[in-house]
Amino acid sequence: MAEVEETGNGLQGVADTIDEWFGEITGFFVNLIFGTNVEIPLGAPFPEGTTLWDGPLVVLWAIVAAIGFTIYFGFVQFRTAPVTFEIVRGKWTTEDDPGEVTHFQALTAAVSGTVGLGNIAGVAAAVSLGGPGATFWMILAGLFGMCTKFVECTLGVKYRHIDENGIVHGGPFKYLPVAFRKLGRLPVLIITGVFAISIMLFGIIGGGMFQANQTYGAIESAGSTLDEMTGTSAFAFLGTDTSAFIFGLIFAGLVALVIIGGIRRIGSATAKIVPTMAGIYVLACLIVIAVNITNIGDAFGAIISGAFTAEGITGGVIGVIIIGVQRAAFSNEAGIGSAPIAHSAVKTRRPVSEGFNAILEPFIDTVVVCTMTALVIIFAWPADYEEAIGVGHDNPVGLTAASFETFLPGFSVVLAICVALFAFSTLITWSYYGIQAWRYLVGMSKTKDLIFRSIICVMIVIGCMVSFGNIIDFADSALFLCIFINVVGCVILAPKVKEEMKQYLADRAAGRLFEDPNELPSDTREMAILEFLQDKPYGTSFEKRRD
């Protein structure tokens, strides 16, 4: 947020009032979601007072669920890479399959909502608050989160509905009512309604305000770089609230031009934008890593040692774990329930095929891109990072830009362009996610849709004018409320996903993937699965038992 005081202009006062009001709401929401702590003592032979966990229940649930899914599905995210790559390139897809977009388009649409500022500003926020060790826990959360994505995206397709116009309606709004149906109609409506509100709030705050806030932060950093290079103050105006307001209006206007479309337009746009913006950013990271290749051992040493020694950081090692898991979840969105909305539109007759497809998202987002960003930061280690350890920083994307400037002078200008593209694609994707929640709550009509899209655009403008800390805290609260509800539903329906997985792998081995699984005789399906598990035992031995 701009901090320069503007005399004779009431905009500064308006921005301060909005930020104060937003901060009060954020404080209440954060306490509501993260206020319930769980303490798990270790006991003897560990020293008295030593705990395995002492932190928020919602964060612990996300961790335990991801590990539990990984074990239950026999580490599926690590052992089925050939299956995943077959699906991404459309080997088993036909034009006659029901749905709206290809596997590749569904993947890029979902990745556009994950690979973005969470990888640039989010990693900077994690490292500046929790030190290099936060990176270790981000990577670990990403690896386990791959299986969570597998489960939720399979369910998103399995319980989707395709209306008479060929439009797909899927995601948590379809499978959560199935998961909780034994509780009765009213509890199902309440639980799903709370989930819809939380994912809508995250879309508006995390998908809208956060993107706009950090995009403007990147532009401010780029302006400062240009002023230093030219020895002028031509871009000093970027430090004013007036500039932030004008930028917000322009950015919101551009977003508005796109979000009047549906999933087809999003799939088409992101399929072109994501590879370009990701390629530019990853290339820059690789250049910096190559230049510092002799220091990579020390960098990973700092990451690993910092993961288990966290002096000066609130909560110690547990505090660093929480920071890493929060930033990983914000970045890759595993378990939130957002990705199943996009993935449910895929052309396929086999739901689990999209689960295999979605496995790639947390890997690309967190394990690869987030790690690259962290390495750039650790190699450079600007003074601002040391000052922010345990406290955080109000412009994380500016700290990332400063790290790149250490090795690639002037790159902050290119980074600002990349950030704008990341933010733009994320915004149009999250507008699609958010409107699904909005429609669930208030119904579907052109007028109602226009109201929601207008809210998104207004909040983009406000996002440029309020503090980063309030935005990220509110977004985290909405995000983990989503995870808590969605993952409970995924746990209940996990056996259904396992059945889909076994049948798909069996039919793949038998060469029957082009056949409609619903048209195969039940005895044929059962025999194929049993033969497959006998001949090619995937995962652990418990998968061989007949369910």
Side-chain angles (χ1 to χ4, degrees):
M1 185 186 75
E3 299 292 344
V4 175
E5 185 176 353
E6 301 174 43
T7 58
N9 192 330
L11 197 57
Q12 176 70 46
V14 172
D16 290 343
T17 300
I18 292 173
D19 196 37
E20 182 180 353
W21 172 76
F22 187 64
E24 291 176 358
I25 295 176
T26 298
F28 171 78
F29 195 36
V30 169
N31 185 61
L32 180 67
I33 305 304
F34 291 105
T36 302
N37 276 25
V38 173
E39 182 177 339
I40 304 176
L42 281 175
F46 296 96
E48 185 177 350
T50 303
T51 58
L52 177 64
W53 181 263
D54 185 8
L57 171 64
V58 290
V59 179
L60 178 64
W61 173 238
I63 296 170
V64 171
I67 296 173
F69 283 140
T70 298
I71 296 171
Y72 182 69
F73 288 98
F75 297 84
V76 64
Q77 66 265 51
F78 305 121
R79 60 182 174 82
T80 56
V83 178
T84 294
F85 288 114
E86 285 177 359
I87 292 167
V88 172
R89 62 189 179 90
K91 181 177 179 180
W92 304 110
T93 304
T94 69
E95 284 298 319
D96 296 330
D97 287 343
E100 298 183 70
V101 296
T102 66
H103 286 292
F104 179 73
Q105 285 179 323
L107 179 64
T108 55
V111 166
S112 73
T114 57
V115 175
L117 284 181
N119 306 86
I120 302 173
V123 173
V127 177
S128 66
L129 184 60
T135 308
F136 176 87
W137 300 110
M138 286 186 70
I139 294 171
L140 208 59
L143 290 171
F144 284 113
M146 292 167 69
C147 196
T148 304
K149 244 341 165 29
F150 168 78
V151 176
E152 63 179 343
C153 289
T154 298
L155 293 173
V157 179
K158 182 174 177 62
Y159 294 101
R160 69 183 178 180
H161 165 68
I162 302 177
D163 64 25
E164 63 276 7
N165 298 315
I167 304 299
V168 176
H169 306 275
F173 307 112
K174 296 300 180 184
Y175 62 72
L176 287 181
V178 176
F180 296 114
R181 62 187 171 186
K182 291 185 179 179
L183 297 177
R185 180 177 175 79
L186 182 59
V188 166
L189 288 174
I190 293 173
I191 292 170
T192 312
V194 171
F195 173 82
I197 291 171
S198 61
I199 201 168
M200 184 179 66
L201 288 175
F202 182 75
I204 293 170
I205 309 301
M209 294 179 72
F210 174 85
Q211 306 299 322
N213 180 282
Q214 288 300 282
T215 299
Y216 189 70
I219 290 174
E220 278 191 278
S221 297
S224 298
T225 296
L226 290 173
D227 281 346
E228 291 177 7
M229 292 172 65
T230 59
T232 66
S233 57
F235 294 94
F237 69 90
L238 291 174
T240 66
D241 281 292
T242 298
S243 296
F245 178 71
I246 293 172
F247 170 79
L249 287 176
I250 295 171
F251 200 50
L254 292 172
V255 170
L257 292 175
V258 177
I259 62 176
I260 58 173
I263 187 63
R264 288 186 178 91
R265 179 173 294 185
I266 292 173
S268 176
T270 53
K272 297 174 183 176
I273 295 173
V274 169
T276 301
M277 66 185 183
I280 292 172
Y281 184 74
V282 169
L283 178 61
C285 288
L286 289 173
I287 291 172
V288 174
I289 292 171
V291 170
N292 291 273
I293 194 67
T294 57
N295 300 320
I296 200 165
D298 292 336
F300 276 109
I303 289 172
I304 295 171
S305 63
F308 302 97
T309 56
E311 295 85 356
I313 296 170
T314 303
V317 173
I318 299 297
V320 177
I321 295 174
I322 293 171
I323 292 167
V325 172
Q326 284 180 323
R327 297 283 61 79
F330 187 96
S331 184
N332 64 45
E333 298 171 17
I336 298 178
S338 55
I341 298 174
H343 283 283
S344 66
V346 73
K347 287 178 175 290
T348 186
R349 297 181 186 278
R350 296 175 180 269
V352 78
S353 67
E354 198 56 20
F356 286 118
N357 190 27
I359 279 176
L360 284 175
E361 288 173 34
F363 183 81
I364 294 170
D365 178 273
T366 307
V367 179
V368 177
V369 183
C370 285
T371 302
M372 286 182 171
T373 302
L375 288 173
V376 172
I377 292 167
I378 294 168
F379 289 145
W381 204 251
D384 282 353
Y385 274 103
E386 200 65 45
E387 296 168 4
I389 291 290
V391 180
H393 198 278
D394 61 355
N395 185 21
V397 74
L399 297 182
T400 303
S403 298
F404 275 103
E405 284 288 336
T406 304
F407 307 104
L408 300 173
F411 184 74
S412 60
V413 178
V414 179
L415 182 63
I417 297 172
C418 288
V419 164
L421 290 173
F422 274 120
F424 187 77
S425 62
T426 300
L427 272 164
I428 60 176
T429 300
W430 265 102
S431 71
Y432 176 75
Y433 295 160
I435 208 164
Q436 304 308 308
W438 174 261
R439 288 170 176 171
Y440 179 84
L441 292 167
V442 304
M444 181 177 176
S445 74
K446 290 184 178 180
T447 301
K448 292 173 181 177
D449 287 358
L450 181 61
I451 291 172
F452 177 77
R453 287 164 179 153
S454 299
I455 292 171
I456 286 279
C457 293
V458 169
M459 297 307 285
I460 287 172
V461 178
I462 294 175
C464 295
M465 304 177 67
V466 300
S467 63
F468 173 78
N470 285 335
I471 292 174
I472 197 69
D473 287 345
F474 194 103
D476 278 347
S477 300
L479 180 151
F480 275 90
L481 179 56
C482 289
I483 290 177
F484 189 83
I485 297 172
N486 182 56
V487 170
V488 170
C490 290
V491 168
I492 295 171
L493 295 174
K496 298 293 184 181
V497 177
K498 197 171 196 180
E499 289 175 9
E500 293 281 344
M501 181 186 74
K502 288 179 177 179
Q503 181 175 330
Y504 185 93
L505 294 175
D507 288 346
R508 175 177 178 267
R512 285 195 298 266
L513 286 181
F514 282 122
E515 299 178 39
D516 189 337
N518 296 318
E519 296 179 358
L520 291 173
S522 58
D523 57 341
T524 301
R525 293 200 303 268
E526 185 73 8
M527 286 301 298
I529 293 172
L530 290 174
E531 290 173 5
F532 174 76
L533 293 177
Q534 290 171 0
D535 296 339
K536 297 186 178 182
Y538 273 69
T540 51
S541 59
F542 67 79
E543 288 190 294
K544 295 182 182 180
R545 296 199 301 268
R546 182 170 177 171
D547 288 340

